[in-house]
Amino acid sequence: MKKPTKILLKIILSAIVIFLGFWFILPPINLRSPAFYSFLVFCIVAITVISAFSDFIAIIKPQKVSYDTDNFFEKIKKIIKNLALPVKIVLACIIVSILFSVIGGIVGAEIFNASRYNKLITLEDGDFSSDVSEISREQIPVVDRDTASRLGQRKLGEMSDLVSQFEIEELYTQINYNGKPVRVTPLRYGDIIKWLNNQKQGVPAYITVDMTTQETELVRLNEGIKYSDSEYFMRNLTRKLRFEYPTKIFGNISFEIDDEGTPYWVASTIEYKIGIFSGEDIGGAVLFNAQTGESKYYDISEIPTWVDQVYDSDLVLSQLIYNGKYRSGWLNSIFGQKGVLQPTDGYNYLAINDDVWLYTGITSVTSDESNVGFVLTNLRTKQTKYYAVPGAEEYSAMSSAQGQVQHLGYKATFPLLLNVAERPSYFMALKDSAGLVKMYAFVDVQQYQIVGTGNTVEESRADYLAKLKNQDFSVSDNKAESIEGVVQEISSAVVESNTCYYIKLIDNDNIFIVSVKMNDNLPFLKVGDTVNVTYTGMGENINVSKIEIK
């Protein structure tokens, strides 16, 4: 083979191998990405191996049949000699890559950049009463991710035409949709054979779970989802993003729907704020239409308001750790640890206006059962507010709630922080051993021995408010209204092992549902008696917190 042809063949083979490597590895072509340097080493190794291998073939290719031993060993020596240079090149590239990584690590080391790590996230002082308004019963999320997954699986099981071909993608992104907290997740192909059978139409639906009512809906699409990670070739989401945005360093990719219910992938892009590879943060996001494949990049300040989760929770928590750890420099974080704080081991989400906020408690590194306050972080903008409200650490509150029902053996979910009568309060569901929600509990953040439980949210809230009043705490229930009237109709029913009374007053269209636990004299209430009812809400969502019989 002539030398020019041989060189051309090497170039073609190297290009094919490099392209295949890029196709499967999908590294960003970005000098700030560690993955890029790993891919660069792969390319050099591939070129070197192909070159050496082609030379090896040329050397051992027999020109004529010969059993000359000396000639054979001469060829082996020549092969080793020809391999020496490529091996040195590969080793040199590996050493340079390691040195570059080490230098990058040193430049961005926490010991030299403690103040910069501390400033990755900025904490504003917040006012709990004004920032977190009290929400009504129909807005309180009672569904956690585990329950949403169970509900989603049950819903898919009801769809005989889908359950044999598709599975549920276990994402369950929490978003605000039409003013309500909702978890949403797409379906995915069951396997490659089912992909072959259905890829022309795409994934036909996604699932939404209303976190307040537990209503689960399988939303069928007129045009299927054509781009996802269960697709192959150029319809694979990660590959499509990489080829369209070769220089972007992608972080978390979440599934969301816009105000019209159109499915989108939200792919956050990473920036490094410290050194070369350190101080990870979000610079923007690509909004990718899951049906059409159309996409657009937005800087972090320009992202549409319907998007809820741009910042990954783990990234926010890591920045909160840095913020609390390096409040007084690196040395203090090791020795003395004066004023060093850290987020608690757990988090939840809170819907405020049209955004999703991450909630986590803040505790001292020397304390293990109490919080010095808590933070709320907007997962679209990263605006973070700190509330200096000392109180019980979340797991202590969970233990307190479980203690109220210890005879039943229920386990508490990680709590959600709510404003109840202008007091920071933990709200959690209580589940049985099968993972089914059986009861609910409210726990006061500052006095975690005050626990209200009940079979419904209304009942547990009423029990909680009653116990606050019994402890002589000032309870401000600004949304509560009182009405006095004469009983026109009354009937009772057992709801979840609890007797409830349905009361209608003269000249009032509302039906007040009252638990027997609110007043021991309810069984003796009759038509014509006068009562005073304290409640919040109207129509189908009336939360009765107190009833007095005249």
Side-chain angles (χ1 to χ4, degrees), residues 250-304:
F250 289 107
N252 181 60
I253 301 178
S254 61
F255 181 80
E256 297 195 29
I257 55 177
D258 66 9
D259 294 334
E260 287 73 43
T262 304
Y264 275 85
W265 296 102
V266 180
S268 303
T269 58
I270 292 174
E271 288 185 353
Y272 295 104
K273 299 293 183 67
I274 302 172
I276 304 174
F277 311 123
S278 305
E280 183 177 320
D281 206 356
I282 301 299
V286 173
L287 302 191
F288 188 101
N289 188 308
Q291 294 173 296
T292 65
E294 297 175 355
S295 64
K296 184 178 179 180
Y297 173 77
Y298 293 86
D299 286 330
I300 195 66
S301 60
E302 300 172 347
I303 293 174

Short mmCIF file of all heavy atoms in Angstrom, two decimals, residues 250-304:
data_model
loop_
_atom_site.label_atom_id
_atom_site.label_comp_id
_atom_site.label_asym_id
_atom_site.label_seq_id
_atom_site.Cartn_x
_atom_site.Cartn_y
_atom_site.Cartn_z
N PHE A 250 -24.21 20.46 30.40
CA PHE A 250 -25.55 20.27 30.93
C PHE A 250 -25.53 19.66 32.33
O PHE A 250 -24.69 18.80 32.64
CB PHE A 250 -26.37 19.38 30.00
CG PHE A 250 -26.75 20.06 28.71
CD1 PHE A 250 -26.14 19.70 27.52
CD2 PHE A 250 -27.69 21.08 28.70
CE1 PHE A 250 -26.48 20.33 26.33
CE2 PHE A 250 -28.03 21.72 27.51
CZ PHE A 250 -27.42 21.35 26.33
N GLY A 251 -26.44 20.12 33.15
CA GLY A 251 -26.60 19.58 34.49
C GLY A 251 -27.88 18.78 34.58
O GLY A 251 -28.11 17.84 33.82
N ASN A 252 -28.75 19.19 35.49
CA ASN A 252 -30.01 18.48 35.69
C ASN A 252 -30.97 18.72 34.53
O ASN A 252 -31.07 19.83 34.00
CB ASN A 252 -30.66 18.95 37.00
CG ASN A 252 -31.95 18.23 37.30
OD1 ASN A 252 -31.97 17.02 37.43
ND2 ASN A 252 -33.04 18.96 37.40
N ILE A 253 -31.68 17.66 34.11
CA ILE A 253 -32.72 17.77 33.09
C ILE A 253 -34.04 17.32 33.70
O ILE A 253 -34.17 16.18 34.13
CB ILE A 253 -32.39 16.91 31.85
CG1 ILE A 253 -31.05 17.35 31.24
CG2 ILE A 253 -33.50 17.03 30.81
CD1 ILE A 253 -30.62 16.53 30.04
N SER A 254 -35.00 18.24 33.78
CA SER A 254 -36.29 17.93 34.40
C SER A 254 -37.40 17.97 33.36
O SER A 254 -37.26 18.58 32.30
CB SER A 254 -36.60 18.92 35.53
OG SER A 254 -36.68 20.25 35.03
N PHE A 255 -38.49 17.30 33.68
CA PHE A 255 -39.66 17.26 32.80
C PHE A 255 -40.72 18.19 33.37
O PHE A 255 -41.08 18.09 34.54
CB PHE A 255 -40.20 15.83 32.71
CG PHE A 255 -41.40 15.69 31.82
CD1 PHE A 255 -41.27 15.61 30.45
CD2 PHE A 255 -42.69 15.63 32.35
CE1 PHE A 255 -42.37 15.48 29.62
CE2 PHE A 255 -43.80 15.49 31.54
CZ PHE A 255 -43.64 15.42 30.17
N GLU A 256 -41.23 19.12 32.54
CA GLU A 256 -42.28 20.04 32.98
C GLU A 256 -43.30 20.22 31.86
O GLU A 256 -43.06 19.82 30.71
CB GLU A 256 -41.69 21.40 33.38
CG GLU A 256 -40.74 21.35 34.56
CD GLU A 256 -40.47 22.72 35.15
OE1 GLU A 256 -41.35 23.60 35.06
OE2 GLU A 256 -39.36 22.92 35.70
N ILE A 257 -44.41 20.82 32.20
CA ILE A 257 -45.41 21.19 31.20
C ILE A 257 -45.70 22.69 31.34
O ILE A 257 -45.66 23.23 32.45
CB ILE A 257 -46.72 20.38 31.36
CG1 ILE A 257 -47.29 20.52 32.77
CG2 ILE A 257 -46.49 18.93 31.01
CD1 ILE A 257 -48.62 19.79 32.97
N ASP A 258 -45.95 23.35 30.21
CA ASP A 258 -46.24 24.78 30.26
C ASP A 258 -47.71 25.00 30.61
O ASP A 258 -48.44 24.06 30.93
CB ASP A 258 -45.84 25.47 28.96
CG ASP A 258 -46.68 25.03 27.76
OD1 ASP A 258 -47.69 24.31 27.96
OD2 ASP A 258 -46.34 25.39 26.62
N ASP A 259 -48.15 26.24 30.56
CA ASP A 259 -49.51 26.57 30.99
C ASP A 259 -50.57 25.92 30.12
O ASP A 259 -51.73 25.79 30.54
CB ASP A 259 -49.70 28.10 30.97
CG ASP A 259 -48.82 28.79 32.00
OD1 ASP A 259 -48.47 28.14 33.00
OD2 ASP A 259 -48.47 29.97 31.81
N GLU A 260 -50.21 25.52 28.90
CA GLU A 260 -51.18 24.85 28.01
C GLU A 260 -51.07 23.34 28.08
O GLU A 260 -51.77 22.62 27.35
CB GLU A 260 -50.96 25.30 26.56
CG GLU A 260 -51.42 26.72 26.24
CD GLU A 260 -50.51 27.77 26.85
OE1 GLU A 260 -49.27 27.59 26.78
OE2 GLU A 260 -51.03 28.76 27.41
N GLY A 261 -50.18 22.83 28.92
CA GLY A 261 -50.02 21.38 29.05
C GLY A 261 -49.06 20.77 28.06
O GLY A 261 -48.98 19.55 27.95
N THR A 262 -48.29 21.59 27.33
CA THR A 262 -47.31 21.08 26.37
C THR A 262 -46.09 20.56 27.13
O THR A 262 -45.53 21.27 27.97
CB THR A 262 -46.87 22.19 25.40
OG1 THR A 262 -48.03 22.73 24.75
CG2 THR A 262 -45.91 21.65 24.36
N PRO A 263 -45.63 19.33 26.84
CA PRO A 263 -44.50 18.78 27.58
C PRO A 263 -43.16 19.37 27.12
O PRO A 263 -42.91 19.50 25.91
CB PRO A 263 -44.58 17.28 27.26
CG PRO A 263 -45.27 17.21 25.94
CD PRO A 263 -46.24 18.36 25.92
N TYR A 264 -42.33 19.70 28.08
CA TYR A 264 -41.00 20.26 27.80
C TYR A 264 -39.96 19.56 28.68
O TYR A 264 -40.27 19.09 29.78
CB TYR A 264 -40.96 21.75 28.14
CG TYR A 264 -41.45 22.66 27.03
CD1 TYR A 264 -42.79 22.94 26.89
CD2 TYR A 264 -40.55 23.25 26.14
CE1 TYR A 264 -43.25 23.79 25.88
CE2 TYR A 264 -40.99 24.10 25.13
CZ TYR A 264 -42.34 24.36 25.01
OH TYR A 264 -42.78 25.19 24.00
N TRP A 265 -38.75 19.52 28.14
CA TRP A 265 -37.59 19.17 28.95
C TRP A 265 -36.86 20.48 29.28
O TRP A 265 -36.64 21.31 28.40
CB TRP A 265 -36.65 18.24 28.19
CG TRP A 265 -37.26 16.90 27.87
CD1 TRP A 265 -37.76 16.50 26.66
CD2 TRP A 265 -37.43 15.80 28.76
NE1 TRP A 265 -38.25 15.22 26.75
CE2 TRP A 265 -38.06 14.76 28.03
CE3 TRP A 265 -37.14 15.59 30.11
CZ2 TRP A 265 -38.38 13.54 28.60
CZ3 TRP A 265 -37.46 14.37 30.67
CH2 TRP A 265 -38.06 13.35 29.93
N VAL A 266 -36.50 20.64 30.54
CA VAL A 266 -35.76 21.82 30.99
C VAL A 266 -34.35 21.37 31.34
O VAL A 266 -34.13 20.69 32.35
CB VAL A 266 -36.44 22.49 32.20
CG1 VAL A 266 -35.65 23.72 32.64
CG2 VAL A 266 -37.88 22.88 31.86
N ALA A 267 -33.39 21.69 30.48
CA ALA A 267 -32.00 21.26 30.65
C ALA A 267 -31.16 22.42 31.16
O ALA A 267 -30.87 23.36 30.42
CB ALA A 267 -31.45 20.74 29.32
N SER A 268 -30.77 22.37 32.43
CA SER A 268 -29.95 23.42 33.03
C SER A 268 -28.52 23.34 32.50
O SER A 268 -28.00 22.25 32.25
CB SER A 268 -29.95 23.30 34.55
OG SER A 268 -31.27 23.34 35.06
N THR A 269 -27.88 24.50 32.33
CA THR A 269 -26.49 24.54 31.88
C THR A 269 -25.59 25.02 33.01
O THR A 269 -25.93 25.96 33.74
CB THR A 269 -26.32 25.45 30.66
OG1 THR A 269 -26.76 26.78 30.99
CG2 THR A 269 -27.15 24.94 29.49
N ILE A 270 -24.45 24.36 33.14
CA ILE A 270 -23.56 24.60 34.27
C ILE A 270 -22.49 25.62 33.93
O ILE A 270 -21.95 25.64 32.82
CB ILE A 270 -22.91 23.26 34.71
CG1 ILE A 270 -23.98 22.34 35.30
CG2 ILE A 270 -21.79 23.49 35.71
CD1 ILE A 270 -23.46 20.96 35.62
N GLU A 271 -22.19 26.47 34.90
CA GLU A 271 -21.05 27.38 34.85
C GLU A 271 -20.20 27.15 36.09
O GLU A 271 -20.73 26.80 37.15
CB GLU A 271 -21.51 28.85 34.81
CG GLU A 271 -22.14 29.28 33.52
CD GLU A 271 -22.46 30.77 33.51
OE1 GLU A 271 -22.32 31.40 34.59
OE2 GLU A 271 -22.86 31.29 32.47
N TYR A 272 -18.89 27.33 35.94
CA TYR A 272 -17.99 27.21 37.08
C TYR A 272 -17.51 28.60 37.48
O TYR A 272 -16.93 29.32 36.67
CB TYR A 272 -16.80 26.29 36.74
CG TYR A 272 -17.22 24.86 36.49
CD1 TYR A 272 -17.29 24.36 35.20
CD2 TYR A 272 -17.59 24.03 37.54
CE1 TYR A 272 -17.68 23.05 34.96
CE2 TYR A 272 -17.99 22.72 37.32
CZ TYR A 272 -18.04 22.24 36.02
OH TYR A 272 -18.45 20.95 35.80
N LYS A 273 -17.78 28.97 38.72
CA LYS A 273 -17.49 30.32 39.18
C LYS A 273 -16.13 30.45 39.88
O LYS A 273 -15.68 31.57 40.12
CB LYS A 273 -18.59 30.76 40.17
CG LYS A 273 -19.99 30.80 39.56
CD LYS A 273 -20.11 31.88 38.52
CE LYS A 273 -21.51 31.99 37.94
NZ LYS A 273 -22.50 32.47 38.91
N ILE A 274 -15.49 29.32 40.19
CA ILE A 274 -14.23 29.36 40.94
C ILE A 274 -13.20 28.50 40.22
O ILE A 274 -13.46 27.33 39.92
CB ILE A 274 -14.43 28.86 42.39
CG1 ILE A 274 -15.49 29.69 43.11
CG2 ILE A 274 -13.12 28.89 43.15
CD1 ILE A 274 -15.89 29.15 44.45
N GLY A 275 -12.03 29.06 39.96
CA GLY A 275 -10.98 28.30 39.31
C GLY A 275 -11.41 27.82 37.94
O GLY A 275 -12.08 28.52 37.17
N ILE A 276 -11.03 26.58 37.61
CA ILE A 276 -11.33 26.00 36.30
C ILE A 276 -12.55 25.10 36.36
O ILE A 276 -13.46 25.19 35.53
CB ILE A 276 -10.11 25.22 35.76
CG1 ILE A 276 -8.87 26.13 35.71
CG2 ILE A 276 -10.41 24.66 34.36
CD1 ILE A 276 -7.60 25.40 35.33
N PHE A 277 -12.57 24.21 37.36
CA PHE A 277 -13.65 23.22 37.44
C PHE A 277 -14.45 23.31 38.74
O PHE A 277 -15.18 22.39 39.09
CB PHE A 277 -13.08 21.78 37.34
CG PHE A 277 -12.12 21.58 36.20
CD1 PHE A 277 -10.83 21.13 36.43
CD2 PHE A 277 -12.50 21.83 34.90
CE1 PHE A 277 -9.94 20.93 35.38
CE2 PHE A 277 -11.63 21.63 33.84
CZ PHE A 277 -10.34 21.19 34.08
N SER A 278 -14.33 24.39 39.48
CA SER A 278 -14.93 24.45 40.82
C SER A 278 -15.98 25.56 40.90
O SER A 278 -16.04 26.45 40.06
CB SER A 278 -13.84 24.69 41.87
OG SER A 278 -12.83 23.71 41.78
N GLY A 279 -16.78 25.49 41.96
CA GLY A 279 -17.82 26.50 42.16
C GLY A 279 -18.96 26.33 41.18
O GLY A 279 -19.38 27.28 40.52
N GLU A 280 -19.51 25.12 41.10
CA GLU A 280 -20.57 24.84 40.12
C GLU A 280 -21.82 25.68 40.40
O GLU A 280 -22.28 25.80 41.52
CB GLU A 280 -20.93 23.35 40.18
CG GLU A 280 -21.96 22.92 39.16
CD GLU A 280 -22.24 21.42 39.21
OE1 GLU A 280 -21.27 20.65 39.39
OE2 GLU A 280 -23.41 21.04 39.09
N ASP A 281 -22.36 26.25 39.32
CA ASP A 281 -23.57 27.05 39.40
C ASP A 281 -24.33 26.90 38.08
O ASP A 281 -23.86 26.25 37.15
CB ASP A 281 -23.24 28.52 39.67
CG ASP A 281 -24.38 29.25 40.38
OD1 ASP A 281 -25.45 28.64 40.58
OD2 ASP A 281 -24.20 30.43 40.71
N ILE A 282 -25.50 27.52 38.00
CA ILE A 282 -26.33 27.44 36.79
C ILE A 282 -26.27 28.77 36.05
O ILE A 282 -26.46 29.84 36.64
CB ILE A 282 -27.79 27.09 37.14
CG1 ILE A 282 -27.85 25.76 37.88
CG2 ILE A 282 -28.64 27.04 35.87
CD1 ILE A 282 -27.34 24.58 37.11
N GLY A 283 -26.00 28.70 34.75
CA GLY A 283 -25.92 29.92 33.94
C GLY A 283 -27.15 30.17 33.11
O GLY A 283 -27.40 31.29 32.66
N GLY A 284 -27.94 29.13 32.88
CA GLY A 284 -29.14 29.26 32.06
C GLY A 284 -29.78 27.91 31.86
O GLY A 284 -29.49 26.95 32.59
N ALA A 285 -30.66 27.82 30.87
CA ALA A 285 -31.34 26.55 30.61
C ALA A 285 -31.83 26.50 29.17
O ALA A 285 -32.16 27.54 28.58
CB ALA A 285 -32.52 26.35 31.57
N VAL A 286 -31.87 25.30 28.63
CA VAL A 286 -32.45 25.05 27.32
C VAL A 286 -33.85 24.49 27.52
O VAL A 286 -34.03 23.50 28.23
CB VAL A 286 -31.60 24.06 26.51
CG1 VAL A 286 -32.31 23.69 25.20
CG2 VAL A 286 -30.23 24.64 26.20
N LEU A 287 -34.84 25.16 26.93
CA LEU A 287 -36.21 24.65 26.97
C LEU A 287 -36.43 23.87 25.69
O LEU A 287 -36.38 24.42 24.59
CB LEU A 287 -37.22 25.80 27.10
CG LEU A 287 -37.07 26.71 28.32
CD1 LEU A 287 -38.28 27.62 28.44
CD2 LEU A 287 -36.88 25.90 29.59
N PHE A 288 -36.71 22.58 25.84
CA PHE A 288 -36.75 21.64 24.71
C PHE A 288 -38.15 21.06 24.60
O PHE A 288 -38.62 20.37 25.51
CB PHE A 288 -35.72 20.54 24.96
CG PHE A 288 -35.49 19.60 23.81
CD1 PHE A 288 -34.40 19.75 23.00
CD2 PHE A 288 -36.38 18.58 23.54
CE1 PHE A 288 -34.17 18.88 21.94
CE2 PHE A 288 -36.18 17.71 22.49
CZ PHE A 288 -35.07 17.86 21.68
N ASN A 289 -38.84 21.38 23.50
CA ASN A 289 -40.19 20.85 23.27
C ASN A 289 -40.09 19.35 23.02
O ASN A 289 -39.49 18.90 22.05
CB ASN A 289 -40.83 21.55 22.07
CG ASN A 289 -42.29 21.19 21.90
OD1 ASN A 289 -42.67 20.02 21.85
ND2 ASN A 289 -43.14 22.21 21.79
N ALA A 290 -40.69 18.55 23.92
CA ALA A 290 -40.55 17.10 23.84
C ALA A 290 -41.29 16.49 22.66
O ALA A 290 -41.01 15.34 22.29
CB ALA A 290 -41.05 16.47 25.15
N GLN A 291 -42.22 17.22 22.07
CA GLN A 291 -42.97 16.70 20.94
C GLN A 291 -42.32 17.04 19.60
O GLN A 291 -42.20 16.18 18.72
CB GLN A 291 -44.40 17.27 20.96
CG GLN A 291 -45.23 16.79 22.16
CD GLN A 291 -46.56 17.49 22.23
OE1 GLN A 291 -46.63 18.70 22.42
NE2 GLN A 291 -47.65 16.74 22.10
N THR A 292 -41.90 18.27 19.43
CA THR A 292 -41.39 18.73 18.14
C THR A 292 -39.87 18.74 18.04
O THR A 292 -39.32 18.76 16.93
CB THR A 292 -41.90 20.15 17.85
OG1 THR A 292 -41.32 21.07 18.82
CG2 THR A 292 -43.42 20.22 17.94
N GLY A 293 -39.18 18.74 19.17
CA GLY A 293 -37.73 18.81 19.15
C GLY A 293 -37.19 20.22 19.04
O GLY A 293 -35.97 20.42 18.98
N GLU A 294 -38.06 21.23 18.99
CA GLU A 294 -37.61 22.61 18.94
C GLU A 294 -37.06 23.02 20.31
O GLU A 294 -37.59 22.61 21.33
CB GLU A 294 -38.76 23.53 18.54
CG GLU A 294 -39.31 23.27 17.15
CD GLU A 294 -40.53 24.12 16.84
OE1 GLU A 294 -40.99 24.83 17.76
OE2 GLU A 294 -41.03 24.06 15.71
N SER A 295 -36.01 23.83 20.29
CA SER A 295 -35.40 24.22 21.56
C SER A 295 -34.87 25.63 21.49
O SER A 295 -34.62 26.17 20.40
CB SER A 295 -34.26 23.25 21.92
OG SER A 295 -33.22 23.33 20.97
N LYS A 296 -34.68 26.23 22.67
CA LYS A 296 -34.14 27.58 22.76
C LYS A 296 -33.41 27.73 24.08
O LYS A 296 -33.89 27.27 25.12
CB LYS A 296 -35.25 28.63 22.66
CG LYS A 296 -34.73 30.07 22.64
CD LYS A 296 -35.87 31.08 22.48
CE LYS A 296 -35.35 32.51 22.49
NZ LYS A 296 -36.43 33.51 22.34
N TYR A 297 -32.25 28.39 24.02
CA TYR A 297 -31.48 28.64 25.23
C TYR A 297 -31.86 29.98 25.84
O TYR A 297 -32.03 30.97 25.14
CB TYR A 297 -29.98 28.63 24.92
CG TYR A 297 -29.14 29.05 26.11
CD1 TYR A 297 -28.89 28.16 27.15
CD2 TYR A 297 -28.62 30.34 26.19
CE1 TYR A 297 -28.13 28.55 28.25
CE2 TYR A 297 -27.86 30.73 27.28
CZ TYR A 297 -27.63 29.84 28.31
OH TYR A 297 -26.89 30.22 29.40
N TYR A 298 -31.99 29.99 27.18
CA TYR A 298 -32.30 31.23 27.91
C TYR A 298 -31.24 31.43 28.99
O TYR A 298 -30.88 30.49 29.71
CB TYR A 298 -33.67 31.13 28.59
CG TYR A 298 -34.85 31.08 27.66
CD1 TYR A 298 -35.28 29.86 27.13
CD2 TYR A 298 -35.56 32.22 27.30
CE1 TYR A 298 -36.37 29.79 26.27
CE2 TYR A 298 -36.65 32.16 26.46
CZ TYR A 298 -37.05 30.95 25.94
OH TYR A 298 -38.13 30.89 25.10
N ASP A 299 -30.77 32.67 29.12
CA ASP A 299 -29.96 33.02 30.28
C ASP A 299 -30.82 32.91 31.53
O ASP A 299 -32.05 32.99 31.47
CB ASP A 299 -29.40 34.44 30.15
CG ASP A 299 -28.27 34.50 29.12
OD1 ASP A 299 -27.57 33.49 28.95
OD2 ASP A 299 -28.12 35.56 28.48
N ILE A 300 -30.17 32.75 32.67
CA ILE A 300 -30.90 32.50 33.91
C ILE A 300 -31.91 33.60 34.24
O ILE A 300 -32.97 33.33 34.80
CB ILE A 300 -29.90 32.31 35.09
CG1 ILE A 300 -30.61 31.70 36.30
CG2 ILE A 300 -29.20 33.61 35.42
CD1 ILE A 300 -31.08 30.30 36.08
N SER A 301 -31.63 34.84 33.84
CA SER A 301 -32.53 35.95 34.15
C SER A 301 -33.70 36.05 33.17
O SER A 301 -34.63 36.82 33.41
CB SER A 301 -31.76 37.27 34.15
OG SER A 301 -31.17 37.50 32.87
N GLU A 302 -33.66 35.27 32.09
CA GLU A 302 -34.68 35.38 31.05
C GLU A 302 -35.60 34.16 30.98
O GLU A 302 -36.47 34.09 30.11
CB GLU A 302 -34.00 35.58 29.68
CG GLU A 302 -33.15 36.84 29.61
CD GLU A 302 -32.34 36.92 28.33
OE1 GLU A 302 -32.26 35.88 27.63
OE2 GLU A 302 -31.81 38.00 28.02
N ILE A 303 -35.43 33.21 31.85
CA ILE A 303 -36.23 31.98 31.79
C ILE A 303 -37.70 32.29 32.07
O ILE A 303 -38.03 33.01 33.02
CB ILE A 303 -35.70 30.96 32.82
CG1 ILE A 303 -34.29 30.51 32.39
CG2 ILE A 303 -36.62 29.74 32.92
CD1 ILE A 303 -33.60 29.61 33.37
N PRO A 304 -38.63 31.78 31.24
CA PRO A 304 -40.06 32.07 31.43
C PRO A 304 -40.55 31.66 32.81
O PRO A 304 -40.05 30.70 33.42
CB PRO A 304 -40.72 31.22 30.33
CG PRO A 304 -39.66 31.02 29.30
CD PRO A 304 -38.37 30.96 30.05
#
